């Protein structure tokens, strides 16, 4: 499951504050990120066209690990040959340097048609009208 929930929209430049929750049924991670809707919609468009081949990958990445950024989020839709399936690989890090530090890395196994539907919902998302987008694969 991937859920994006709008926490705030900056009126001056439309920067979104988003809570993203990732869950594969065994592991879960929640992270607050900041991004623009255009970047999320671009990722959605790429997911709707995924895959063109088993070597195709679609990546959404924002932030970096370390002191320079407040967060790191990495999502990659790709083929995983060892179990002959498509997955969305997830990596998160909140870059906290105290007792609140959290980091995760896991995969969500998914049918390509489901990934495409997730892409459609992101591509057409208007966060001013709909505050939450949720995709459930399992």
């Amino acid at each position: 499951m991937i859920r994006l929930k709008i926490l705030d929209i900056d009126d001056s430049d439309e920067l979104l504050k988003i809570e993203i929750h990732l869950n594969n049924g065994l592991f879960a991670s929640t992270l607050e990120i900041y991004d623009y809707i255009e970047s999320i919609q671009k990722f959605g468009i790429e997911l709707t066209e995924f895959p063109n081949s088993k070597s195709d990958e679609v990546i959404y990445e924002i932030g970096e690990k370390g002191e320079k950024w407040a967060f790191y989020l990495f999502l990659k839709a790709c083929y995983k040959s060892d179990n002959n399936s498509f997955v969305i690989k997830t990596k998160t890090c909140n870059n906290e340097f105290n007792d609140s530090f959290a980091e995760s890395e896991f995969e969500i196994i998914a049918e390509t048609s489901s990934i495409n539907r997730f892409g459609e919902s992101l591509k057409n998302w208007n966060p001013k009208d709909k505050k939450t987008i949720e995709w459930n694969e399992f």
Side-chain angles (χ1 to χ4, degrees):
M1 185 258 287
I2 299 177
R3 181 179 60 238
L4 292 94
K5 179 180 176 184
I6 299 299
L7 301 177
D8 194 22
I9 301 174
D10 187 319
D11 291 331
S12 65
D13 66 358
E14 305 274 318
L15 182 66
L16 306 173
K17 180 179 181 181
I18 304 167
E19 177 187 85
I20 183 163
H21 180 75
L22 310 163
N23 185 336
N24 71 358
L26 297 173
F27 299 97
S29 178
T30 302
L31 184 69
E32 286 185 8
I33 67 168
Y34 293 84
D35 203 356
Y36 294 95
I37 190 61
E38 294 83 10
S39 177
I40 295 165
Q41 289 172 334
K42 179 182 179 291
F43 179 58
I45 291 167
E46 292 170 353
L47 288 177
T48 62
E49 300 166 357
F50 174 80
N52 293 316
S53 68
K54 287 187 175 179
S55 63
D56 195 13
E57 297 179 342
V58 174
I59 295 174
Y60 174 83
E61 185 174 28
I62 187 164
E64 295 176 5
K65 286 185 183 181
E67 297 176 17
K68 190 175 177 181
W69 280 80
F71 60 86
Y72 175 67
L73 173 65
F74 176 86
L75 303 174
K76 178 169 78 169
C78 61
Y79 176 72
K80 189 171 179 181
S81 60
D82 60 340
N83 64 354
N84 194 33
S85 63
F86 287 90
V87 299
I88 296 182
K89 293 185 177 193
T90 73
K91 295 180 188 178
T92 64
C93 184
N94 68 359
N95 286 336
E96 295 283 336
F97 293 99
N98 54 37
D99 293 341
S100 298
F101 177 81
E103 186 173 22
S104 74
E105 183 173 343
F106 58 88
E107 298 173 345
I108 301 170
I109 298 172
E111 297 290 328
T112 56
S113 59
S114 181
I115 293 172
N116 298 150
R117 285 190 301 276
F118 178 49
E120 279 294 325
S121 65
L122 293 177
K123 177 178 87 168
N124 297 314
W125 190 25
N126 180 346
K128 290 181 179 178
D129 293 337
K130 187 175 183 181
K131 298 293 183 196
T132 303
I133 292 283
E134 187 170 302
W135 170 69
N136 288 296
E137 175 53 31
F138 53 88

